[in-house]
Amino acid sequence: MGEISRREVVAAGTFLSLPVLFGGQAFAGLRPGGSQPATAPQGNAVAPREQLLFDFGWKFAFGHGSDPAKDFGFGLDQGDFAKTGDFKFAKIGFDDSAWRTLDLPHDWAVELPFVKDDTQTGDSLLRSHGYKPLGRRYPQTSVGWYRRAFDIPAADLGRQVWIEFDGAFRDVMVFVNGAFIGRNANGYAPFRFDLTDFLDYGGKNVIVLRVDASFGDGWFYEGAGVYRHVWLVKSDAVHLGRWDSTVRPALNGSSASLALDTIVENHEPNAVTAKVVWTIRDAAGASVAAAQSPDRLIPSGGTTAFHVAAALANPRLWSPEDPNLYTAVVTVETGDKRRDGEEIAFGVRTAVFDADKGFFLNGQPLKIQGTCNHQDHAGVGAALPDALQIYRLSILREMGCNAVRTSHNMPTPEWVEACDRMGVMMMCETRLMSSNLEGAQQLELMVKRYRNSPSIIIWSIGNEEWQLQDKMAEQGAKIAATMVQACHQLDPTRPVTMAVNGDNEKGVSEPIDVIGFNYNEGFPDAFHKRHPLRPIVGSETSSAISTRGEYVSDPKRNIINSYDGVVEWGKTPEDWWKFYGTREWLAGGFAWTGFDYRGEPTPYGWPSISSQFGIVDMCGFPKDYFYYYTAWWRKEPSLHVFPHWNWEGKEGHEVSVWVYSNLEEVELYLNGRSLGRQAVPHLGHVQWKVLYEPGTLEARGYKDGKTVLSEKRETTGPAVSLRLSADRTTIAANGEDVSLIKVEALDRKGRAVPTANSALVFNVYGAGKLIGVGNGDPNCQEADKVPKRSLFNGLAQVIVQSATRPGKILIEAAGAGEFGHTLHSARLALTAKAATLRPRV
């Protein structure tokens, strides 16, 4: 489109509601993506929609990518698909007794060993995905089979029944009762299949999934298997369209108008006349607005769109400080019967990208203080329990992060849910940048599913498409224009961007609404001068690298210092934020990355198995860079001194001491002696060169000449005991909730030992189980699913999941101390509290 004709690009949005599993309760029947079924009134003859969690009690076995004999005979000849209903592995009577039982979400890649390929090509291929043996060269570990029997009541006859997947990696074939149902071949977009005609109503049914992870979608760790939730959805023949209900608020002074739209489908043999009724509730559950459509005819096998409007008086706005939510209840009625309904939580807010002034939320200027994140975590790979999304986002919020980018794929619904409920803005990015059928479908699903979310302020159609930015610029402009147009048609309330690692002067950059720069800080100033009407955001910045708890770079050990590590194309936290945080016309930016992630080990290769880009490590333990952001992204007084003060054998040697603080001055003391006071530069840090001697290092921060904060680093003794602490000591006994256990080593005075690397073993007893371990070491190749792990620089993590019965969960940690010292074990008790289970199969 060339120059954008206006300085402001406006985004106004609403919100989709997802399950809340925490505090011991869950919204009954709630379906991620905003389709919680509305409760049918008493006396209603029509069964309400059911959305049943289909995660529990699956059987799993490895197949084979090239040998049919090891793939349960699948593909033994070319006649497999000749007749419907012939697949014996998907029928009652098939022997799956040798298959292991597990629950979803499940990522089998994280269970595999690490593999080094000594060939240059092989090393490159495995390296980016975390050295896991996946791909066509590893057929024995690249195909997995899932199998489950389930009952369908006779009363369901006449209803529509669907199997819905939030995402699976990657090529999934679905079979039910011996019949092939369908296939999906991408790792991030949701998909579903209609099972209505294939079920045995009143009898036992069998579903089988063949999941092939031989191909990937990205160049980073992506996992393998059914790593997101699965649902069995039952609805009336007359029902709301999937993700077709939208609530679009528009602020007008002290009120907000609500455009309420939906589509109703009719699968009955005859046309029906129906109406749609909307009720709007506030956060307390009080009804604050209502609307009803006139009756409209819906043809048999067809759809009809319904539009009404309502108004909210004095709406309470959604913001990071106050992520207030309303709920819209939409129902379909024919005569006096309710046929279907759902609840959609939404927020009211405005978002504007301005070419002169940056970004505005609800009319107030706000710098985007963002991070890019992949979706894996220590111990569980890509199969994150819902509570872990909350944990991860809480850590990012703690350092002042107010926005995330879903690099580089459609996010899981629970990540969006966490952002909506916790007040964190989002750049929502699709995986495949293409206007071909697959790319268009992925984009459509993403926008339709999440277009009601208030946290999403902008869509991203791609990342660093070198060919489309340069050699194929003409084609790139056309592809991008088609994708931008699709976004605008599906969601006219938000702008569209793309993450470009170039000058943004051609190709894909031409049609987008907000220019996204990846790195290359030499380009934005010149671009802004040439194109003063185009808003700009830092779509990917920094790429600072560091190893938690390490202060001397050592290529022989694959570690990076925590002061100023950075890749050749990147910037330190200070350097990038001094650029984006001081130019009024820049909206802000997204640092690469919030969390360390598997794959892309940079700057080293084997034995490194994860990146070192994270501001926190793979467990969520903060690196020192974390505290730079805390100082300059938050308003509260902040002070952090580093490194640790355990440097045995370095007495008399010079140690660099840094302090991150937003106070006016900092004074450093060593064993009570002042080493000088320094003024803190804006968006910077202060540092000293200190001759090491054991004892106490202390930093004191001053404002107006008065001490506001102080922090000490003490030379500790050797580790003699362990300490366990949990992010939550009470979790829901629903078979889904988790607690994150931090493991620390302590000396005789109870001080954390920052250099401890003892090997530990764990036991979990009672109403829970261990589902993963980690320590944040980018070079650690210990298994993630066994009850043992070494500390890394004093820390490790255990992830414990509840059972469905209430009771106590006891975690025990033990290990051998270092240098011949005994390491006393530690115990921690959690409570699994009785909870309402989400409706499930």
Side-chain angles (χ1 to χ4, degrees), residues 70 89 95 122 130 138 142 153 181 200 266 288 335 454 637 678 699 744 757 812 829:
K70 297 178 181 179
F89 50 70
D95 183 9
Y138 299 95
S142 295
I181 302 300
D200 181 1
N266 176 22
V288 292
Q678 297 186 38
E744 300 172 274
N757 295 296
E812 184 179 65

PDB file of all heavy atoms in Angstrom, residues 70 89 95 122 130 138 142 153 181 200 266 288 335 454 637 678 699 744 757 812 829:
ATOM      1  N   LYS A  70       7.011 -52.563  11.818  1.00  0.00           N
ATOM      2  CA  LYS A  70       7.212 -51.973  13.140  1.00  0.00           C
ATOM      3  C   LYS A  70       6.258 -50.807  13.375  1.00  0.00           C
ATOM      4  O   LYS A  70       6.379 -50.101  14.377  1.00  0.00           O
ATOM      5  CB  LYS A  70       8.654 -51.485  13.270  1.00  0.00           C
ATOM      6  CG  LYS A  70       9.686 -52.598  13.174  1.00  0.00           C
ATOM      7  CD  LYS A  70      11.102 -52.043  13.252  1.00  0.00           C
ATOM      8  CE  LYS A  70      12.139 -53.168  13.124  1.00  0.00           C
ATOM      9  NZ  LYS A  70      13.532 -52.617  13.165  1.00  0.00           N
ATOM     10  N   PHE A  89      -6.392 -51.802  14.011  1.00  0.00           N
ATOM     11  CA  PHE A  89      -5.834 -51.191  15.211  1.00  0.00           C
ATOM     12  C   PHE A  89      -6.802 -50.191  15.836  1.00  0.00           C
ATOM     13  O   PHE A  89      -6.601 -49.749  16.967  1.00  0.00           O
ATOM     14  CB  PHE A  89      -4.480 -50.536  14.927  1.00  0.00           C
ATOM     15  CG  PHE A  89      -4.472 -49.611  13.740  1.00  0.00           C
ATOM     16  CD1 PHE A  89      -5.124 -48.397  13.740  1.00  0.00           C
ATOM     17  CD2 PHE A  89      -3.764 -49.967  12.588  1.00  0.00           C
ATOM     18  CE1 PHE A  89      -5.099 -47.549  12.649  1.00  0.00           C
ATOM     19  CE2 PHE A  89      -3.728 -49.134  11.492  1.00  0.00           C
ATOM     20  CZ  PHE A  89      -4.409 -47.915  11.511  1.00  0.00           C
ATOM     21  N   ASP A  95      -5.110 -55.704  20.522  1.00  0.00           N
ATOM     22  CA  ASP A  95      -4.326 -55.871  21.745  1.00  0.00           C
ATOM     23  C   ASP A  95      -3.340 -54.719  21.916  1.00  0.00           C
ATOM     24  O   ASP A  95      -2.323 -54.641  21.224  1.00  0.00           O
ATOM     25  CB  ASP A  95      -3.584 -57.201  21.694  1.00  0.00           C
ATOM     26  CG  ASP A  95      -2.801 -57.482  22.978  1.00  0.00           C
ATOM     27  OD1 ASP A  95      -2.993 -56.718  23.959  1.00  0.00           O
ATOM     28  OD2 ASP A  95      -2.005 -58.441  22.994  1.00  0.00           O
ATOM     29  N   GLY A 122      24.182 -33.260   9.577  1.00  0.00           N
ATOM     30  CA  GLY A 122      23.423 -33.854  10.664  1.00  0.00           C
ATOM     31  C   GLY A 122      23.468 -33.015  11.922  1.00  0.00           C
ATOM     32  O   GLY A 122      22.455 -32.833  12.603  1.00  0.00           O
ATOM     33  N   GLY A 130      17.438 -29.103  19.386  1.00  0.00           N
ATOM     34  CA  GLY A 130      17.834 -29.558  20.707  1.00  0.00           C
ATOM     35  C   GLY A 130      18.471 -30.918  20.745  1.00  0.00           C
ATOM     36  O   GLY A 130      18.477 -31.569  21.789  1.00  0.00           O
ATOM     37  N   TYR A 138      15.629 -40.708  11.605  1.00  0.00           N
ATOM     38  CA  TYR A 138      15.381 -41.394  12.871  1.00  0.00           C
ATOM     39  C   TYR A 138      13.954 -41.949  12.889  1.00  0.00           C
ATOM     40  O   TYR A 138      13.118 -41.537  13.695  1.00  0.00           O
ATOM     41  CB  TYR A 138      15.603 -40.431  14.045  1.00  0.00           C
ATOM     42  CG  TYR A 138      17.014 -39.901  14.104  1.00  0.00           C
ATOM     43  CD1 TYR A 138      17.333 -38.673  13.530  1.00  0.00           C
ATOM     44  CD2 TYR A 138      18.028 -40.643  14.700  1.00  0.00           C
ATOM     45  CE1 TYR A 138      18.628 -38.188  13.558  1.00  0.00           C
ATOM     46  CE2 TYR A 138      19.332 -40.165  14.739  1.00  0.00           C
ATOM     47  CZ  TYR A 138      19.629 -38.937  14.169  1.00  0.00           C
ATOM     48  OH  TYR A 138      20.915 -38.470  14.208  1.00  0.00           O
ATOM     49  N   SER A 142      10.365 -41.220  15.529  1.00  0.00           N
ATOM     50  CA  SER A 142       9.671 -40.072  14.944  1.00  0.00           C
ATOM     51  C   SER A 142       8.182 -40.291  14.726  1.00  0.00           C
ATOM     52  O   SER A 142       7.486 -39.380  14.285  1.00  0.00           O
ATOM     53  CB  SER A 142      10.332 -39.692  13.606  1.00  0.00           C
ATOM     54  OG  SER A 142      11.653 -39.238  13.813  1.00  0.00           O
ATOM     55  N   PRO A 153     -23.031 -42.353  25.015  1.00  0.00           N
ATOM     56  CA  PRO A 153     -24.379 -42.723  25.443  1.00  0.00           C
ATOM     57  C   PRO A 153     -25.361 -42.765  24.276  1.00  0.00           C
ATOM     58  O   PRO A 153     -25.228 -42.005  23.303  1.00  0.00           O
ATOM     59  CB  PRO A 153     -24.758 -41.606  26.432  1.00  0.00           C
ATOM     60  CG  PRO A 153     -23.455 -41.004  26.851  1.00  0.00           C
ATOM     61  CD  PRO A 153     -22.544 -41.126  25.672  1.00  0.00           C
ATOM     62  N   ILE A 181     -10.682 -41.061   9.572  1.00  0.00           N
ATOM     63  CA  ILE A 181     -11.519 -39.873   9.741  1.00  0.00           C
ATOM     64  C   ILE A 181     -10.921 -38.651   9.061  1.00  0.00           C
ATOM     65  O   ILE A 181     -11.607 -37.884   8.403  1.00  0.00           O
ATOM     66  CB  ILE A 181     -11.734 -39.576  11.240  1.00  0.00           C
ATOM     67  CG1 ILE A 181     -12.377 -40.777  11.926  1.00  0.00           C
ATOM     68  CG2 ILE A 181     -12.594 -38.331  11.427  1.00  0.00           C
ATOM     69  CD1 ILE A 181     -13.732 -41.174  11.385  1.00  0.00           C
ATOM     70  N   ASP A 200     -20.633 -45.486  17.667  1.00  0.00           N
ATOM     71  CA  ASP A 200     -21.572 -46.508  18.141  1.00  0.00           C
ATOM     72  C   ASP A 200     -22.277 -45.924  19.358  1.00  0.00           C
ATOM     73  O   ASP A 200     -21.726 -45.895  20.459  1.00  0.00           O
ATOM     74  CB  ASP A 200     -20.819 -47.781  18.505  1.00  0.00           C
ATOM     75  CG  ASP A 200     -21.744 -48.892  18.978  1.00  0.00           C
ATOM     76  OD1 ASP A 200     -22.978 -48.678  19.007  1.00  0.00           O
ATOM     77  OD2 ASP A 200     -21.235 -49.969  19.340  1.00  0.00           O
ATOM     78  N   ASN A 266     -27.279 -24.888  10.941  1.00  0.00           N
ATOM     79  CA  ASN A 266     -28.434 -25.788  11.044  1.00  0.00           C
ATOM     80  C   ASN A 266     -28.115 -27.110  10.346  1.00  0.00           C
ATOM     81  O   ASN A 266     -27.968 -27.156   9.121  1.00  0.00           O
ATOM     82  CB  ASN A 266     -29.676 -25.148  10.424  1.00  0.00           C
ATOM     83  CG  ASN A 266     -30.863 -26.077  10.420  1.00  0.00           C
ATOM     84  OD1 ASN A 266     -30.931 -27.026  11.205  1.00  0.00           O
ATOM     85  ND2 ASN A 266     -31.819 -25.818   9.541  1.00  0.00           N
ATOM     86  N   VAL A 288     -25.563  -6.225  32.998  1.00  0.00           N
ATOM     87  CA  VAL A 288     -25.390  -4.794  32.751  1.00  0.00           C
ATOM     88  C   VAL A 288     -25.871  -4.372  31.368  1.00  0.00           C
ATOM     89  O   VAL A 288     -25.928  -3.181  31.066  1.00  0.00           O
ATOM     90  CB  VAL A 288     -23.918  -4.385  32.936  1.00  0.00           C
ATOM     91  CG1 VAL A 288     -23.520  -4.498  34.401  1.00  0.00           C
ATOM     92  CG2 VAL A 288     -23.004  -5.225  32.061  1.00  0.00           C
ATOM     93  N   GLY A 335     -38.263 -21.232  18.978  1.00  0.00           N
ATOM     94  CA  GLY A 335     -39.472 -21.299  19.787  1.00  0.00           C
ATOM     95  C   GLY A 335     -39.109 -21.048  21.239  1.00  0.00           C
ATOM     96  O   GLY A 335     -38.455 -20.064  21.581  1.00  0.00           O
ATOM     97  N   PRO A 454      -8.494  -9.152  24.659  1.00  0.00           N
ATOM     98  CA  PRO A 454      -8.005  -7.780  24.843  1.00  0.00           C
ATOM     99  C   PRO A 454      -6.490  -7.690  24.922  1.00  0.00           C
ATOM    100  O   PRO A 454      -5.920  -6.637  24.655  1.00  0.00           O
ATOM    101  CB  PRO A 454      -8.639  -7.361  26.180  1.00  0.00           C
ATOM    102  CG  PRO A 454      -8.780  -8.621  26.929  1.00  0.00           C
ATOM    103  CD  PRO A 454      -9.089  -9.679  25.896  1.00  0.00           C
ATOM    104  N   PRO A 637      11.493   1.128  43.688  1.00  0.00           N
ATOM    105  CA  PRO A 637      12.954   1.128  43.875  1.00  0.00           C
ATOM    106  C   PRO A 637      13.519  -0.272  43.711  1.00  0.00           C
ATOM    107  O   PRO A 637      12.925  -1.262  44.151  1.00  0.00           O
ATOM    108  CB  PRO A 637      13.124   1.637  45.317  1.00  0.00           C
ATOM    109  CG  PRO A 637      11.888   2.431  45.591  1.00  0.00           C
ATOM    110  CD  PRO A 637      10.786   1.731  44.836  1.00  0.00           C
ATOM    111  N   GLN A 678      28.742   5.965  43.514  1.00  0.00           N
ATOM    112  CA  GLN A 678      28.623   6.408  42.120  1.00  0.00           C
ATOM    113  C   GLN A 678      27.184   6.815  41.823  1.00  0.00           C
ATOM    114  O   GLN A 678      26.228   6.218  42.346  1.00  0.00           O
ATOM    115  CB  GLN A 678      29.017   5.290  41.157  1.00  0.00           C
ATOM    116  CG  GLN A 678      30.454   4.820  41.256  1.00  0.00           C
ATOM    117  CD  GLN A 678      30.796   3.825  40.169  1.00  0.00           C
ATOM    118  OE1 GLN A 678      30.343   3.958  39.031  1.00  0.00           O
ATOM    119  NE2 GLN A 678      31.593   2.818  40.513  1.00  0.00           N
ATOM    120  N   ALA A 699      25.950  -3.605  48.612  1.00  0.00           N
ATOM    121  CA  ALA A 699      25.617  -2.411  47.835  1.00  0.00           C
ATOM    122  C   ALA A 699      24.473  -1.696  48.518  1.00  0.00           C
ATOM    123  O   ALA A 699      23.491  -2.328  48.933  1.00  0.00           O
ATOM    124  CB  ALA A 699      25.224  -2.796  46.416  1.00  0.00           C
ATOM    125  N   GLU A 744      17.316 -25.759  46.550  1.00  0.00           N
ATOM    126  CA  GLU A 744      18.520 -24.976  46.808  1.00  0.00           C
ATOM    127  C   GLU A 744      19.445 -25.738  47.744  1.00  0.00           C
ATOM    128  O   GLU A 744      18.994 -26.515  48.587  1.00  0.00           O
ATOM    129  CB  GLU A 744      18.161 -23.643  47.460  1.00  0.00           C
ATOM    130  CG  GLU A 744      17.261 -22.754  46.646  1.00  0.00           C
ATOM    131  CD  GLU A 744      16.812 -21.548  47.450  1.00  0.00           C
ATOM    132  OE1 GLU A 744      15.798 -21.661  48.174  1.00  0.00           O
ATOM    133  OE2 GLU A 744      17.483 -20.499  47.359  1.00  0.00           O
ATOM    134  N   ASN A 757      26.803 -27.852  42.889  1.00  0.00           N
ATOM    135  CA  ASN A 757      26.401 -28.638  41.717  1.00  0.00           C
ATOM    136  C   ASN A 757      26.199 -30.117  42.068  1.00  0.00           C
ATOM    137  O   ASN A 757      26.481 -31.003  41.268  1.00  0.00           O
ATOM    138  CB  ASN A 757      27.427 -28.492  40.600  1.00  0.00           C
ATOM    139  CG  ASN A 757      27.505 -27.081  40.054  1.00  0.00           C
ATOM    140  OD1 ASN A 757      26.541 -26.572  39.492  1.00  0.00           O
ATOM    141  ND2 ASN A 757      28.639 -26.422  40.240  1.00  0.00           N
ATOM    142  N   GLU A 812      10.542 -35.263  48.609  1.00  0.00           N
ATOM    143  CA  GLU A 812      11.780 -35.481  49.341  1.00  0.00           C
ATOM    144  C   GLU A 812      12.959 -35.358  48.388  1.00  0.00           C
ATOM    145  O   GLU A 812      12.920 -35.891  47.274  1.00  0.00           O
ATOM    146  CB  GLU A 812      11.773 -36.868  49.983  1.00  0.00           C
ATOM    147  CG  GLU A 812      12.982 -37.151  50.863  1.00  0.00           C
ATOM    148  CD  GLU A 812      12.904 -38.529  51.487  1.00  0.00           C
ATOM    149  OE1 GLU A 812      12.954 -39.511  50.710  1.00  0.00           O
ATOM    150  OE2 GLU A 812      12.781 -38.619  52.716  1.00  0.00           O
ATOM    151  N   ALA A 829       5.882 -30.534  52.130  1.00  0.00           N
ATOM    152  CA  ALA A 829       4.526 -31.069  51.997  1.00  0.00           C
ATOM    153  C   ALA A 829       3.641 -30.072  51.256  1.00  0.00           C
ATOM    154  O   ALA A 829       3.629 -28.871  51.567  1.00  0.00           O
ATOM    155  CB  ALA A 829       3.939 -31.379  53.364  1.00  0.00           C
TER     156      ALA A 829
END
